[in-house]
Amino acid sequence: CPVRLRSVCLLAGPSSQLPLQHLLDSYRCGREDDHLSYGETGMPVPPFGCAFSAAPNLEHVLAVANEEGFVRLYDTEAQTTSKLIFKEWQAHSNAVFDLAWVPGEHRIVTASGDQTAKVWDVRAGELLGICKGHQCSLKSVAFSRFEKAVFCTGGRDGNIMVWDTRCNKKDGFYRQVNQISGAHNVVDKQTPSKPKKKRQNLRGLAPLVDFQQSVTVVLLQDEHTIISAGAVDGVIKVWDLRKNYATYRQDPVPFRSLCYPGTSTRKL
């Protein structure tokens, strides 16, 4: 595959007049590169999150998490299928929707449907800590490229949370050090004849379930900037972490919003 990919790149040079589909058709993965994700019973289950390591000499290691909470490390340079998977463990008893490597380290963070994120030492398969604070499934987790202790998560509860593993644990769990509640709430469109009261976001408290809009993706652009995407509002938002979003009794206002430029009839 790497050889074929290089060939595609050469064909796709500035002077090339070949259509894109022709280039894509020339790039194929062999059957030996097709791998199923299995659960505890040995049945195939959907993989949800995957990420390559950025640690020295481990750049070829791919971590894959699946619906039954298993994490498997694949050696993509393995010459035989029998040596492809060199470590696996059940990280959660619920689905793992996303995972992220600690930059340059042999550690990984998993985000799960059990409402927690977990920090793991992948060499020893050891659990280093549990992050507890979300009220629904975690959908995304991300580090910045330059910070090993700080990461962010986004959840179906509509909240973005920032964690710092240098902080002391409380009751045995890591607790968020910053939070943006109801990051992608949409305006309630109830008719005047059927008013519906909405509890205001008081200093970091999550909104009522009826108003929770899932945060599907979070990215740490740098030390002070988080980018997020919402499942319902179709908006990409940029947040400045130097601002206190829990000060006022209203939905948080991002530094910048990028609305979906097209049209869609889908509700989600």
Side-chain angles (χ1 to χ4, degrees), residues 6-7 18 34 41 115 202 227-228 243 264:
R6 285 196 293 271
S7 300
L18 295 175
D34 185 8
T41 62
Q115 304 179 19
L202 301 177
I227 300 173
S228 66
K243 180 179 178 180
S264 175

Side-chain angles (χ1 to χ4, degrees), residues 44-153:
V45 295
F48 286 146
C50 63
F52 274 100
S53 169
N57 302 319
L58 280 183
E59 294 89 348
H60 60 286
V61 174
L62 176 68
V64 179
N66 68 27
E67 188 180 47
E68 290 196 2
F70 283 86
V71 175
R72 290 184 171 90
L73 304 184
Y74 290 83
D75 181 355
T76 60
E77 293 184 347
Q79 299 300 314
T80 61
T81 304
S82 60
K83 295 182 179 180
L84 181 66
I85 301 176
F86 66 91
K87 187 177 289 292
E88 63 179 316
W89 71 96
Q90 186 165 14
H92 298 261
S93 58
N94 205 316
V96 175
F97 290 105
D98 196 18
L99 50 80
W101 290 84
V102 179
E105 298 284 340
H106 298 79
R107 291 179 291 152
I108 205 168
V109 176
T110 53
S112 173
D114 65 7
Q115 304 179 19
T116 69
K118 292 183 178 181
V119 185
W120 299 90
D121 182 331
V122 299
R123 288 177 297 186
E126 178 185 359
L127 177 62
L128 302 178
I130 302 175
C131 303
K132 190 174 182 180
H134 281 283
Q135 299 178 17
C136 294
S137 301
L138 278 68
K139 307 298 288 187
S140 181
V141 57
F143 284 86
S144 77
R145 291 174 294 173
F146 312 105
E147 180 55 66
K148 298 180 179 181
V150 177
F151 61 93
C152 62
T153 56

